[in-house]
Amino acid sequence: MNKRIFLDPLFKNNPIPVLALGICSALAVTVKLEPAMVMALSVTLVTGFSSMILSLLRNTIPNRIRIIVQLVVVAALVILVDQILKAFAWEISKQLSVFVGLIITNCIIMGRIEAFALYNKPFPSLVDGLANGLGYGIILIAVSIVRELLGSGTLIGYQVIPQQWYVANGGFYENNGLFILPPMALIILGLIVWVFNAKNAKRV
Amino acid sequence: MKWIENIIEKIKPAFSKGGRLAFLHSTFNAFETFLMVPGTVTGKGSHIRDCNDLKRVMIVVVIALIPCLLFGMYNTGLQHYLAMDPRAELPGFFPVFWYGFLKVLPLVIVSYVVGLGIEFTIAQIRGHEVNEGYLVTGMLIPLIVPVTIPLWMLALAVAFAVLIGKEIFGGTGMNIWNPALLARAFLFFSYPAYMTGGKVWVVDGTSGATPLAALAEGTPLQELPSWTDMFLGFIPGSVGETSLVCILLGAAILLYTGVASWKIMISCVAGAVLIALTGDIPVHYHLVMGGFAFGCVFMATDPVTSPQTETGKWIFGFLTGALTITIRLYNPGYPEGMMLAILLMNTFSPLIDHVVVSVNVKRRIKRIARHG
């Protein structure tokens, strides 16, 4: 049971390509691999722990004010993540800028709380939250690898494409500027959606 | 021609269902219908019969593009010799043309080989017939890029345009944007240093700016090439876009055969003139500079990506022209606006059609209500 809760959001019901949640930040923070990884980690932690905490509280929250309670919990966790990043990873925090704060509006978090955590025990909720965060992270990392490699020729800041290939050094190669621009993130994401749809269609 | 038919008939069984080479049936079909009248035609029923099928329409456009292509080759050679030494004697017509021919031909070959390769492969995978749509796109792409573009970049752009721009939407006739312009847009945003600015026209080590780029960098109008030169096309620029004479020749062919819409062309020029009146540069300069005329004649009139309604065509053309000059005059980021204007209006053309149709429906309902 727990294994299925963990694996399902990674592939079959991946939040970004299948459920189409959390697309906005997937477009915004995937120019470079490093910020994307940090973002993936942050979202994973926030979804995991907010799901767990709200699952613990699920029998005490009055139904009519549950959204406010959810927001308080999520916001507290997001502020925590934001402060930790500012304290220990200032450079990346600066790159991610407003998007860490905007984790609170990430549809995946509220979606999982509403759909799963309010009806399940704390541990499965934690697993579900973490897995959905990881599913989000996988897509983020896949997109950002393509974009950083082709757009900047680097991965996590290290030069991957040999320097002597570049035109400036007598070679033939040039970085593709389009991959740095947001439209290409959307196109890559579209291609990933295509792959997932094709795979899921076969399984049915 | 009988012998071609005989050969086709002889090898046909191998490509038919159950034949040895049946998996290549789309490829065979493409070549057969390219050479001959299709083997299967509808026998009865209320079909409109016309000799103009998709193939013939496409071929007409390609023929209309040939003056631009030939002139583009000559101009490439001319710009090369002028860049080497402006005062030297030109080595005569044929050496100049030959130099340009050798520069432009690889672009055409790469465009067709990559584009048709993808088209054939996808048709084969999907079991469709191969479409003729790429014949025109493949000719347009080399004409709207600078001749100095590296070939691998061109190949990448062609692949992008055909796959993402066309095949994903379902192939010829289903695309939202003009594929040739999409290829140019891909290059424009991917490798801006190779597409615009003062360093594009590097023919063997020397660089020159197109008149529009020079204008954007603040060169006064008096130092640009003369209006006559721009009209005739003896200026740096993308391969096919420089000569208004050849473009008008192409336009005449397209209009005479009825392939392109004169409404789009006229309203496009009208929109451009209207906005150009607000700027400092004389209006007639705008019409001969950059890709305006080429885009107006060959790209905006693309029957797939422009509106289908007649009123819609007027709106589409007018806004395309107006947007182009607006971008030229008031956006310091881009010296030329034709590509972006057409792509933007392509996006809106289904909406324009929708509005035109629903306005018409409303009008007629009102009329019925009045006359009761």
Side-chain angles (χ1 to χ4, degrees):
Chain A
M1 181 60 192
N2 277 342
K3 194 177 162 200
R4 208 182 58 82
I5 293 174
F6 183 72
L7 285 180
D8 223 30
L10 291 187
F11 302 107
K12 200 177 154 207
N13 281 324
N14 192 302
I16 297 183
V18 181
L19 309 180
L21 297 175
I23 298 233
C24 349
S25 55
L27 303 185
V29 299
T30 50
V31 177
K32 292 271 163 71
L33 181 54
E34 200 178 359
M37 277 158 62
V38 173
M39 184 73 179
L41 188 69
S42 313
V43 171
T44 307
L45 292 177
V46 173
T47 45
F49 287 105
S50 64
S51 277
M52 190 185 75
I53 292 169
L54 282 155
S55 175
L56 283 169
L57 294 173
R58 72 184 187 281
N59 294 326
T60 51
I61 306 172
N63 198 34
R64 292 179 62 183
I65 58 160
R66 67 180 196 285
I67 300 279
I68 297 173
V69 177
Q70 288 165 14
L71 277 178
V72 169
V73 172
V74 175
L77 285 167
V78 169
I79 290 169
L80 207 63
V81 167
D82 194 24
Q83 294 299 324
I84 291 172
L85 281 183
K86 276 190 180 140
F88 296 106
W90 172 240
E91 283 302 311
I92 289 173
S93 166
K94 242 187 348 194
Q95 279 180 42
L96 288 172
S97 66
V98 68
F99 291 101
V100 175
L102 284 178
I103 292 178
I104 190 172
T105 63
N106 195 318
C107 323
I108 299 170
I109 301 172
M110 294 290 267
R112 290 328 291 175
I113 293 169
E114 282 280 301
F116 195 92
L118 289 182
Y119 310 101
N120 286 286
K121 292 209 165 104
F123 184 68
S125 296
L126 175 68
V127 173
D128 176 77
L130 288 176
N132 272 287
L134 282 176
Y136 168 88
I138 288 176
I139 304 295
L140 229 62
I141 287 168
V143 174
S144 63
I145 283 177
V146 175
R147 287 184 74 189
E148 188 177 351
L149 189 63
L150 298 177
S152 318
T154 56
L155 279 182
I156 324 185
Y158 291 102
Q159 189 71 32
V160 173
I161 289 167
Q163 283 288 0
Q164 62 265 28
W165 283 14
Y166 284 93
V167 171
N169 303 327
F172 64 93
Y173 188 77
E174 282 285 338
N175 284 329
N176 192 323
L178 189 58
F179 279 84
I180 297 181
L181 302 172
M184 209 59 196
L186 195 63
I187 291 172
I188 297 170
L189 213 55
L191 295 175
I192 292 177
V193 171
W194 180 21
V195 170
F196 269 79
N197 280 354
K199 244 177 77 183
N200 287 348
K202 238 178 239 162
R203 202 159 20 199
V204 169
Chain B
M1 287 298 120
K2 190 75 187 158
W3 59 276
I4 301 181
E5 214 176 326
N6 288 338
I7 295 175
I8 287 178
E9 283 308 317
K10 216 170 124 188
I11 60 173
K12 197 167 191 170
F15 291 98
S16 307
K17 212 166 189 182
R20 200 158 35 86
L21 297 167
F23 66 95
L24 283 174
H25 69 95
S26 297
T27 313
F28 175 75
N29 182 290
F31 281 108
E32 187 197 0
T33 53
F34 192 76
L35 296 167
M36 296 288 156
V37 173
T40 48
V41 290
T42 27
K44 49 186 173 183
S46 57
H47 292 280
I48 298 170
R49 290 179 174 278
D50 194 280
C51 62
N52 270 333
D53 60 350
L54 186 58
K55 239 164 230 158
R56 200 157 299 178
V57 169
M58 294 296 177
I59 287 293
V60 167
V61 183
V62 172
I63 290 172
L65 282 168
I66 286 200
C68 289
L69 178 71
L70 292 180
F71 181 82
M73 287 174 173
Y74 175 73
N75 190 39
T76 302
L78 182 74
Q79 295 302 327
H80 165 72
Y81 283 109
L82 287 181
M84 290 217 305
D85 186 359
R87 282 172 302 279
E89 284 271 309
L90 286 176
F93 176 78
F94 282 104
V96 171
F97 180 82
W98 184 246
Y99 180 87
F101 178 76
L102 290 183
K103 283 277 176 197
V104 176
L105 192 66
L107 299 181
V108 180
I109 293 176
V110 165
S111 160
Y112 272 119
V113 167
V114 174
L116 287 178
I118 295 172
E119 289 257 339
F120 273 75
T121 316
I122 288 190
Q124 216 68 75
I125 292 171
R126 289 187 176 165
H128 288 182
E129 287 176 22
V130 177
N131 269 310
E132 298 81 6
Y134 193 74
L135 288 181
V136 170
T137 310
M139 187 55 103
L140 281 172
I141 291 174
L143 292 180
I144 53 172
V145 295
V147 72
T148 48
I149 194 91
L151 292 178
W152 67 271
M153 288 183 189
L154 186 69
L156 207 63
V158 169
F160 177 85
V162 174
L163 280 175
I164 308 283
K166 210 162 102 180
E167 292 304 333
I168 277 190
F169 295 103
T172 306
M174 316 291 265
N175 46 307
I176 301 176
W177 299 286
N178 184 318
L181 273 182
L182 216 55
R184 191 188 147 86
F186 178 85
L187 289 171
F188 183 81
F189 288 109
S190 298
Y191 308 107
Y194 289 81
M195 293 301 285
T196 55
K199 294 200 172 56
V200 172
W201 271 75
V202 191
V203 182
D204 294 348
T206 36
S207 68
T210 65
L212 259 183
L215 209 58
E217 282 165 12
T219 317
L221 198 63
Q222 289 76 26
E223 289 172 26
L224 292 181
S226 69
W227 189 84
T228 329
D229 267 357
M230 291 203 241
F231 180 75
L232 294 172
F234 300 115
I235 49 167
S238 295
V239 177
E241 69 174 20
T242 58
S243 169
L244 194 61
V245 179
C246 296
I247 294 168
L248 288 177
L249 208 61
I253 298 175
L254 290 182
L255 292 180
Y256 178 72
T257 51
V259 168
S261 159
W262 58 273
K263 288 172 189 157
I264 291 180
M265 290 190 203
I266 300 253
S267 56
C268 187
V269 172
V273 167
L274 196 72
I275 299 293
L277 286 173
T278 67
D280 299 334
I281 307 153
V283 174
H284 57 291
Y285 272 84
H286 272 299
L287 300 182
V288 294
M289 279 192 302
F292 175 77
F294 191 84
C296 175
V297 170
F298 293 107
M299 316 288 245
T301 56
D302 175 358
V304 175
T305 55
S306 59
Q308 306 297 310
T309 52
E310 298 304 310
T311 321
K313 284 177 185 167
W314 288 108
I315 302 171
F316 173 86
F318 185 83
L319 288 178
T320 306
L323 264 174
T324 305
I325 307 298
T326 310
I327 294 172
R328 274 191 196 174
L329 288 176
Y330 301 112
N331 184 337
Y334 305 123
E336 172 62 309
M338 199 59 192
M339 170 186 81
L340 298 168
I342 296 178
L343 284 175
L344 187 68
M345 290 318 294
N346 280 169
T347 317
F348 282 115
S349 66
L351 186 68
I352 294 174
D353 272 343
H354 177 78
V355 169
V356 168
V357 168
S358 50
V359 164
N360 194 31
V361 167
K362 272 208 190 104
R363 194 173 53 83
R364 294 183 65 166
I365 287 178
K366 241 189 210 158
R367 197 167 60 196
I368 290 174
R370 213 174 34 238
H371 297 293

